[in-house]
Amino acid sequence: MNTLPFTPPGKKNSGDSVVNGVDLSVNFAGIKAPNPFWLASAPPTDKAYNVVRAYEAGWGGVVWKTLGEEPPAVNVSSRYSAHYGKNREVIGFNNIELITDRSLEVNLQEITQVKKDWPDRALIVSIMVPCVEEAWAYILPLVEATGADGIELNLGCPHGMPERGMGAAVGQNPDLIEKVTYWCKKHYSKPVIVKLTPNITDIRVGAQAALRGGADAVSLINTINSITSIDLDNMVAKPTVGHQSTHGGYCGSAVKPIALNMVAEIARDPATPTLPISGIGGIATWRDAAEFIALGAGSVQVCTAAMLNGFRIVEEMKDGLSRWMAEKGYDSIDAFSRKAVPQTTDWKHLDINFKTIAHIDQDLCIECGRCYIACEDTSHQSIAKLTEEGARRYEVIEEECVGCNLCQITCPVENCITMVPQETGKPFLAWDNDPRNPFRVAS
């Protein structure tokens, strides 16, 4: 049995829920935690040593790395690769690591001790076993005996395990999602969270299936199938195992827009309007977390950012979120949770008559011409390039501007180009009943 790292009595840790006068505590599907920042099921939560260090740093909860049947999984080397930006910042992270490669017995012993030592923190156990009821009926009582607060069903792992009939092979089949969730509710008495795969056409189908099976909550997104790059000298993808490679699971900041959309789709779906959601995917700052919460998440899970920067990033996350909440007058997470959901709709419901045009602040403009090039070559030719005494000047041709935002996006100077709403004198008009729509619905 491994020796566990203990927190000496009286040792200070940053588990207080009130930060900067704001209550960050959450009650997610019956699971209480001092803050919404949880570590996702991944290498950072593979053992007691890591989890205790995370709790000491101030994380509100962890999802223990996925447990499976004996014998434990066998991992390969190497396991990770990355998609880089210009300055070698990691935009996307790819891994081909499987579930825990440590024995079930050791994991269960450590989970039991950690939960005993840290009763105020959320501890959820991720599980993946074959898609037969007997396998779930065997492992669930063992996990429940640890005292953990709940379980997360790993139905989304995109590599290695699907070939064995697990992971995404289950998460891509609504009938299997419902069935496995039902088995877990039958053999386990605490909250059941279903982790959904993004490698599917419509994320709502999986969430609805989980709800039918009795799920207490869902978490998303799991990683996305990916190949980050090719070693062109050896003609093999990365990460490279000997002279071969395979697709892996993509995560990191690059997947955040996809994750936000999928969280919002579930939050605004009439079939799942109150289903608790744990948001995952590219969360690295307090602002990322706030956006997920505003779109429906009751807790947020972090992995890649912690792997790249260490556990102490949670200090900035808690401080930043609490300061923003205090500034906005939100005294709790519930006060702004789902507040962006009502304003998220389908394209056909948007106001066709709304108009906005670009405005260039000449005092901030550095005359780089990027807005002009982008608009002239690839957009609507609505920016004029003027030359005055040898100096360049760029002005918006208002009657040509369609408000596409491309110039604002390409501008390297923050707030130099703003989008200014225009008064059109026209009433709200959605495509549903626009006279130009041949399939319009009468007003």
Side-chain angles (χ1 to χ4, degrees):
M1 180 175 175
N2 289 8
T3 301
L4 301 181
F6 293 97
T7 300
K11 180 176 180 180
K12 184 178 179 181
N13 64 73
S14 49
D16 295 336
S17 60
V18 178
V19 181
N20 294 321
V22 172
D23 185 6
L24 293 181
S25 66
V26 294
N27 185 336
F28 179 78
I31 300 171
K32 296 181 179 180
N35 64 68
F37 297 105
W38 299 357
L39 284 174
S41 171
T45 62
D46 188 37
K47 58 176 72 75
Y49 177 82
N50 288 0
V51 172
V52 169
R53 286 177 61 84
Y55 283 159
E56 289 175 340
W59 292 87
V62 303
V63 183
W64 202 278
K65 189 174 182 184
T66 306
L67 308 186
E69 286 189 319
E70 298 284 32
V74 177
N75 279 296
V76 296
S77 177
S78 59
R79 304 175 189 176
Y80 307 142
S81 64
H83 174 51
Y84 296 101
K86 284 186 176 180
N87 298 316
R88 200 172 163 75
E89 74 275 20
V90 175
I91 298 172
F93 190 86
N94 178 46
N95 88 86
I96 58 172
E97 187 164 309
L98 303 182
I99 64 176
T100 183
D101 52 15
R102 303 188 312 140
S103 75
L104 178 61
E105 179 183 7
V106 168
N107 273 299
L108 293 173
Q109 289 173 347
E110 293 188 1
I111 293 168
T112 302
Q113 188 66 55
V114 170
K115 185 58 191 176
K116 180 180 178 181
D117 294 340
W118 297 84
D120 67 316
R121 308 303 174 89
L123 198 165
I124 295 92
V125 178
S126 176
I127 309 176
M128 181 196 299
V129 293
C131 198
V132 292
E133 184 174 0
E134 291 76 14
W136 292 96
Y138 172 77
I139 197 171
L140 289 171
L142 300 178
V143 172
E144 184 152 6
T146 66
D149 299 297
I151 59 173
E152 182 181 80
L153 313 187
N154 184 345
L155 306 186
C157 183
H159 53 270
M161 306 313 290
E163 295 93 317
R164 311 177 196 190
M166 293 181 277
V170 179
Q172 292 168 339
N173 186 323
D175 291 337
L176 292 180
I177 294 175
E178 181 178 354
K179 184 179 294 185
V180 171
T181 305
Y182 173 79
W183 292 337
C184 290
K185 291 299 294 181
K186 178 180 176 181
H187 297 287
Y188 184 77
S189 67
K190 292 185 177 181
V192 173
I193 305 168
V194 178
K195 190 172 186 179
L196 301 174
T197 175
N199 301 303
I200 192 170
T201 303
D202 189 344
I203 195 68
R204 297 173 297 178
V205 174
Q208 292 167 10
L211 185 59
R212 288 195 303 271
D216 297 283
V218 293
S219 58
L220 66 152
I221 58 174
N222 209 313
T223 52
I224 301 171
N225 279 330
S226 71
I227 292 177
T228 51
S229 62
I230 300 293
D231 178 343
L232 292 176
D233 292 323
N234 297 301
M235 287 299 168
V236 61
K238 299 178 181 179
T240 303
V241 182
H243 301 290
Q244 297 175 304
S245 188
T246 185
H247 69 270
Y250 196 52
C251 52
S253 62
V255 311
K256 176 189 165 188
I258 298 168
L260 280 174
N261 173 65
M262 290 188 171
V263 165
E265 287 295 284
I266 295 173
R268 68 188 187 92
D269 182 3
T272 56
T274 60
L275 182 62
I277 301 169
S278 186
I280 312 170
I283 298 168
T285 68
W286 71 263
R287 184 177 293 275
D288 296 332
E291 292 175 5
F292 272 85
I293 294 169
L295 275 178
S299 68
V300 291
Q301 297 185 32
V302 179
C303 172
T304 306
M307 292 180 73
L308 296 176
N309 302 292
F311 287 151
R312 293 191 63 179
I313 61 169
V314 74
E315 297 174 1
E316 295 183 7
M317 289 178 166
K318 293 194 299 182
D319 182 65
L321 181 61
S322 61
R323 289 179 183 276
W324 172 80
M325 289 171 62
E327 178 185 334
K328 296 296 183 180
Y330 299 130
D331 58 2
S332 68
I333 297 295
D334 286 342
F336 75 96
S337 178
R338 297 180 180 254
K339 285 187 76 70
V341 175
Q343 291 73 250
T344 307
T345 188
D346 295 334
W347 186 94
K348 63 184 179 180
H349 300 313
L350 299 176
D351 185 4
I352 296 292
N353 283 336
F354 177 78
K355 182 175 177 59
T356 183
I357 63 173
H359 172 74
I360 301 173
D361 186 331
Q362 299 299 332
D363 292 332
L364 293 177
C365 180
I366 60 174
E367 301 173 356
C368 66
R370 290 176 62 178
C371 63
Y372 170 77
I373 294 170
C375 187
E376 188 71 14
D377 287 357
T378 68
S379 194
H380 293 85
Q381 297 77 51
S382 58
I383 295 180
K385 178 181 178 181
L386 308 175
T387 302
E388 300 176 354
E389 299 179 357
R392 293 177 296 185
R393 178 184 175 90
Y394 301 95
E395 292 185 357
V396 175
I397 307 171
E398 294 188 1
E399 59 271 22
E400 297 295 334
C401 181
V402 300
C404 72
N405 298 63
L406 180 60
C407 59
Q408 183 187 45
I409 292 170
T410 59
C411 181
V413 180
E414 188 174 4
N415 297 323
C416 177
I417 299 180
T418 54
M419 305 308 297
V420 183
Q422 304 296 297
E423 180 57 57
T424 65
K426 298 179 181 179
F428 181 97
L429 179 64
W431 184 245
D432 301 69
N433 50 22
D434 190 314
R436 293 166 292 185
N437 179 2
F439 303 102
R440 68 183 180 278
V441 177
S443 299

